């Protein structure tokens, strides 16, 4: 887990929902006992086979967690943002197993890492900490179930259209075909073929490293959404 240790300005966590459910004593134990770190974008947090070094609590920023299959294809499982913890790290700590996935910092992040011993101690002794962690774990488990449902039951063109709408900003995405393939858990060639078909139908315009949405209504129809349910 590469990074630089630093002190947090405690005001940075004042409104952080991760600490909302903690009483003052527990919050102080977490802050004083955790390893305080800054992780620039691109920093690897853990990799498959790594022993779990602790429970990362994200204060600010964003970390991407993904898996690589035997075929070499990658799929994004979830992203951890400010106010969230990594449930797979918690699972590794509780089961004493190594990581089966990898995590990479996507946006510059401020992280508090709790040691395995401190995590276990707080889970045993602090009811508010245990409830907050298990609630976060349950929410993330639901999102993982949605990933499974998407991969198993939705057509890839629908999922690609959904991802384009989710990630666009003012009608554009600065993203590569490989990035989208990782998001969807498929091969880059498959994504490129679908995007070419979208372009042929007038839904998007493709440029190097950039995708422009040309017909939002048609893209919404592909992803199965009505106009009133659009993402802004």
């Amino acid at each position: 887990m590469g990074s630089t240790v630093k002190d947090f300005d405690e005001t940075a966590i004042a409104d952080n929902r991760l600490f909302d459910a903690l009483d003052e004593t527990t919050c102080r134990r977490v802050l004083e006992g955790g390893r305080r770190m800054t992780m620039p974008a691109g920093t690897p947090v853990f990799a498959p086979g790594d022993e779990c070094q602790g429970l990362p609590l994200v204060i600010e920023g964003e970390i991407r967690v993904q898996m690589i299959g035997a075929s070499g294809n990658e799929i994004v499982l979830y992203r951890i943002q400010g106010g969230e913890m990594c449930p797979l790290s918690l699972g590794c700590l509780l089961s004493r197993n190594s990581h089966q996935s990898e995590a990479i910092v996507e946006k510059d992040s401020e992280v508090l890492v709790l040691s395995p011993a401190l995590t276990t101690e707080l889970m045993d002794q602090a009811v508010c900490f245990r409830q907050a962690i298990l609630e976060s774990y349950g929410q993330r488990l639901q999102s993982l179930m949605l990933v499974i449902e998407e991969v198993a039951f939705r057509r890839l063109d629908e999922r690609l259209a959904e991802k384009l709408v989710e990630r666009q900003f003012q009608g554009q995405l600065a993203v590569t075909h490989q990035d989208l393939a990782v998001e969807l858990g498929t091969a880059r060639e498959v994504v490129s073929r679908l995007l070419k078909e979208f372009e042929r139908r007038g839904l998007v315009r493709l440029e190097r490293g950039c995708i422009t949405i040309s017909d939002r209504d048609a893209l919404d129809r592909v992803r199965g959404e009505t106009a009133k349910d659009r993402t802004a």
Side-chain angles (χ1 to χ4, degrees), residues 19 28 47 67 70 72-73 89-90 93 101 107 132 135 140 143 149 156 170 174 179 184-185 219 223 225:
F19 295 89
R28 179 57 53 189
M67 290 191 72
N73 290 340
S89 292
L90 179 62
L93 286 177
S101 58
K107 298 178 182 177
E135 180 179 345
R140 187 58 68 186
S143 69
E149 180 182 2
L156 191 57
Q170 296 183 344
D179 291 335
L184 298 171
L219 203 59
R223 70 186 182 119
E225 298 285 345

Side-chain angles (χ1 to χ4, degrees), residues 54-193:
L55 180 65
L57 308 179
V58 178
I59 306 302
E60 295 178 303
E62 185 170 286
I63 296 174
R64 182 178 74 250
V65 180
Q66 60 191 36
M67 290 191 72
I68 304 175
S71 64
N73 290 340
E74 301 166 280
I75 184 169
V76 175
L77 300 176
Y78 54 81
R79 288 177 169 83
I80 318 165
Q81 300 177 327
E84 298 176 343
M85 65 92 187
C86 179
L88 290 181
S89 292
L90 179 62
C92 287
L93 286 177
L94 297 178
S95 64
R96 299 182 182 178
N97 287 327
S98 58
H99 284 289
Q100 302 300 311
S101 58
E102 67 176 355
I104 300 169
V105 178
E106 198 156 67
K107 298 178 182 177
D108 292 351
S109 298
E110 305 294 341
V111 181
L112 192 65
V113 181
L114 308 186
S115 70
L118 179 58
T119 301
T120 300
E121 181 180 313
L122 289 169
M123 290 287 284
D124 287 342
Q125 298 177 5
V127 173
C128 58
F129 178 85
R130 181 169 64 248
Q131 289 177 334
I133 292 299
L134 291 180
E135 180 179 345
S136 179
Y137 188 90
Q139 291 171 346
R140 187 58 68 186
L141 184 60
Q142 288 182 332
S143 69
L144 282 173
M145 292 298 293
L146 291 176
V147 171
I148 295 171
E149 180 182 2
E150 290 273 315
V151 172
F153 302 117
R154 276 189 86 189
R155 285 176 11 200
L156 191 57
D157 61 339
E158 294 176 349
R159 295 171 54 218
L160 176 57
E162 179 79 19
K163 192 60 62 177
L164 293 176
V165 171
E166 284 179 359
R167 295 192 59 176
Q168 63 84 25
F169 177 71
Q170 296 183 344
Q172 290 191 320
L173 300 86
V175 65
T176 67
H177 296 191
Q178 179 61 34
D179 291 335
L180 290 170
V182 171
E183 294 278 354
L184 298 171
T186 189
R188 179 187 58 78
E189 295 78 8
V190 175
V191 169
S192 295
R193 186 165 64 247

Side-chain angles (χ1 to χ4, degrees), residues 194-206:
L194 284 172
L195 286 172
K196 282 291 185 183
E197 175 61 18
F198 283 2
E199 185 175 47
R200 186 191 68 79
R201 293 163 55 186
L203 277 63
V204 302
R205 187 173 70 253
L206 304 179

